[in-house]
């Protein structure tokens, strides 16, 4: 599935599989869609977009009060800072999604069940 989002260049088609996490932007009263390289925004609430995306068969889970992570894109978790990484190699440009401690634990438990081979921390 592809959604249209507002980017700097106007309306852009973004594959939902490329969205790592979504985050509400209370200042702008919209939702930010984070991919590996860009951030797009759409009107609406975080709960609305989570419901829409999850009804289409994707798995976005609330990871704190203002963000939801795409469970299928998590490569590994950082237990020290309670955050998820979406890339195989971590570098200075790596994009992270921070989580509350309680949500981190729930997401970690779910990922272990879903994919026992997942790397749960940096080595």
């Amino acid at each position: 599935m592809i959604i249209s989002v507002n980017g700097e260049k106007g309306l852009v088609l973004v594959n939902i599989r490329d969205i790592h996490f979504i985050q509400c932007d209370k200042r702008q009263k919209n939702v930010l869609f984070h991919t590996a390289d860009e951030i797009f925004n759409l009107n609406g609430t975080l709960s609305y977009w989570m419901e829409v995306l999850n009804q289409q068969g994707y798995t976005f889970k609330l990871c704190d009060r203002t963000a939801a992570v795409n469970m299928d894109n998590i490569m590994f978790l950082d237990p020290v800072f309670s955050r998820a990484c979406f890339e195989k190699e971590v570098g200075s440009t790596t994009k992270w999604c921070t989580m509350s401690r309680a949500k981190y634990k729930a997401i970690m438990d779910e990922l272990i069940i879903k994919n026992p081979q997942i790397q749960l921390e940096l080595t």
Side-chain angles (χ1 to χ4, degrees):
M1 180 178 179
I2 297 175
I3 60 172
S4 298
V5 296
N6 295 318
E8 288 181 7
K9 300 174 185 172
L11 202 57
V12 178
L13 295 178
V14 176
N15 190 322
I16 294 174
R17 288 184 191 99
D18 295 337
I19 298 170
H20 293 320
F21 63 99
I22 55 179
Q23 181 179 37
C24 68
D25 182 358
K26 292 180 181 180
R27 290 174 294 157
Q28 300 295 324
K29 297 183 180 175
N30 61 15
V31 177
L32 303 175
F33 292 78
H34 293 261
T35 65
D37 303 321
E38 297 183 81
I39 300 172
F40 302 98
N41 65 70
L42 273 173
N43 289 331
T45 64
L46 181 62
S47 59
Y48 169 80
W49 282 108
M50 279 182 56
E51 184 177 335
V52 167
L53 296 172
N54 289 339
Q55 285 179 355
Q56 298 301 314
Y58 298 93
T59 310
F60 283 83
K61 295 282 184 181
L62 199 61
C63 58
D64 71 15
R65 289 181 291 167
T66 63
V69 65
N70 184 345
M71 296 289 284
D72 297 328
N73 288 1
I74 296 174
M75 290 292 164
F76 48 128
L77 297 171
D78 178 358
V80 175
F81 296 105
S82 297
R83 59 188 183 168
C85 178
F86 309 97
E87 302 171 20
K88 291 181 182 177
E89 300 293 325
V90 175
S92 61
T93 61
T94 298
K95 189 175 277 194
W96 297 90
C97 178
T98 58
M99 306 178 191
S100 71
R101 290 276 180 200
K103 298 289 185 185
Y104 174 88
K105 173 76 169 108
I107 287 171
M108 181 182 67
D109 291 344
E110 186 171 332
L111 284 174
I112 290 171
I113 292 168
K114 183 177 180 181
N115 181 3
Q117 307 304 319
I118 193 161
Q119 186 176 349
L120 293 176
E121 55 187 66
L122 297 174
T123 56

